[in-house]
Every structure is written in structure tokens, then in C-alpha cells.
Amino acid sequence: MLRNKTARRLAPLLLPLLAACAAPKPAPDHGMLELEVANTEHAFAATMAKRDFAAFQTFLADEAVFFSGTQATRGKAAIAQDWQAYYAKPEAPFSWEPDQVQVLDSGNLALSTGPVRDGAGKRSQALLTAVPLAAGARRRRPPGRTHKSAAGG
């Protein structure tokens, strides 16, 4: 008898909680995610213009992969070691910026692409970046601080 009374008293409280857990997740706001990724890409690129190697490293995910031609460099430490030379001189050897950002329908991954320009500003190639956005694999920090997972040009 006691169990039935307790269950009847708790049911109005528990049923909405259970329904909320079973409710479908709202669709991701692609516009917001695309803007966040574009802003992050601009901030990441600014580390080269400002010659701020320490800031550059904060954008790298531990498992990041960067491509140069057909060669891949894996891991934050290895990428930082390879890229340190790009930050050694007072003038940036190249620059890049996003010109297109796309987010998967699931909102789990974003891709950005944009031009890479040599030190004189001449377009030399394009850069493609993948940024994980899934809650389980999220490497996001406050806005503008998404970690890069893969990049190549």
C-alpha cells in the first residue's frame, strides 16, 4: 500500500523528466556553428600574423593531424615542433583565412576551406580544416577556442 501511495505522489514529478529524456534533441543551429568555426579559424590564423606561437598551440587538439602534400604529421607536439619554424622570423611566411564553412546535418563536424597566401599576399593553395563539434568528441572551449583536429593544404 505504501509503495502505491509513493508511486502516485512521485509519478507527476517523474513523468515529465522521463518524457524530457526521451524527447528528440533539437536540430543544431548551423548558422551559429558555422559562424563559430569561421571566427575560430580567423583567430587561429591571427596567431601567424601576430607571430604568437604559444597561441597557435592552444588551437591544436591532442590528436590533430596536419597534412603537407602527401605527408601527415600527427599529434599536437609533433605539429608544434614542425610549425615552430614558421613563427621564428618577424615576418609571417604565409597567411590563410576561411572563405567557406560547412557543418554536417548532425552538427558533429565542421569543415572549413580558404586560401593560403604567400608572404607577398599571392594565393598559393587552399587549406581544408575539419573541426569536431559533437558533444561526445567536442574539443570546444569558450567561443572562438575550438581545437583543430585536421588541416591540410
Side-chain angles (χ1 to χ4, degrees), residues 58-140:
T58 68
F59 285 90
L60 300 174
D62 291 337
E63 294 182 306
V65 179
F66 274 35
F67 293 92
S68 179
T70 61
Q71 299 290 49
T73 303
R74 295 178 173 275
K76 181 177 183 173
I79 292 165
Q81 183 178 346
D82 282 0
W83 277 60
Q84 190 166 17
Y86 295 127
Y87 286 82
K89 295 181 181 174
E91 296 297 320
F94 58 87
S95 65
W96 69 96
E97 62 185 337
D99 64 1
Q100 237 186 119
V101 175
Q102 291 293 315
V103 176
L104 294 182
D105 289 343
S106 66
N108 292 337
L109 182 71
L111 296 173
S112 74
T113 186
V116 176
R117 300 182 190 282
D118 64 19
K122 181 181 174 190
R123 187 178 178 138
S124 61
Q125 59 183 335
L127 177 72
L128 175 68
T129 303
V131 180
L133 301 174
R138 191 161 295 200
R139 293 190 174 105
R140 295 166 79 191

